[in-house]
Amino acid sequence: QPARSHYQGHHIQILELLFMAGYQSRTEKLPTIERALTGIDTLKFLLQIAWELHLLDNKKYAVLSEKLDELGRMIGGWKRGLESKTPPA
């Protein structure tokens, strides 16, 4: 199940980035959060490929897609909040 372990590896990486961002200064957080958002987009892409290859049924795909979309919105809101509070460099 290489596809599953690859997917899980990205998931762990995103969790690590979010954990690190929680302890970083405001200016250090923004690039870390942007990397986490890129990771979310990568997971969405991998999920779609898995669905297209019929490795996931429609129900699982829908549930996982919704969760990733929700997570992306939450992280995106965190990023926008930081951008509004951080003066341009």
Side-chain angles (χ1 to χ4, degrees):
Q1 302 239 358
R4 178 176 283 175
S5 67
H6 190 69
Y7 183 83
Q8 289 172 340
H10 280 284
H11 190 259
I12 298 292
Q13 182 182 25
I14 292 166
L15 289 173
E16 288 173 358
L17 289 167
L18 295 173
F19 178 78
M20 289 181 350
Y23 290 95
Q24 291 175 324
S25 69
R26 193 176 283 168
T27 55
E28 292 172 323
K29 280 181 195 208
L30 196 53
T32 304
I33 289 172
E34 288 171 346
R35 286 178 53 207
L37 284 169
T38 300
I40 292 291
D41 289 341
T42 302
L43 282 177
K44 288 178 184 178
F45 175 71
L46 293 172
L47 186 66
Q48 183 175 354
I49 289 174
W51 176 73
E52 289 174 1
L53 293 173
H54 305 286
L55 300 174
L56 289 174
D57 63 36
N58 291 344
K59 186 176 179 180
K60 286 181 185 177
Y61 175 74
V63 169
L64 292 171
S65 291
E66 177 60 34
K67 296 294 182 185
L68 282 176
D69 287 343
E70 182 180 353
L71 185 57
R73 284 190 300 271
M74 292 169 66
I75 298 169
W78 190 9
K79 178 185 175 200
R80 284 186 297 280
L82 284 172
E83 288 173 333
S84 69
K85 296 175 185 173
T86 305

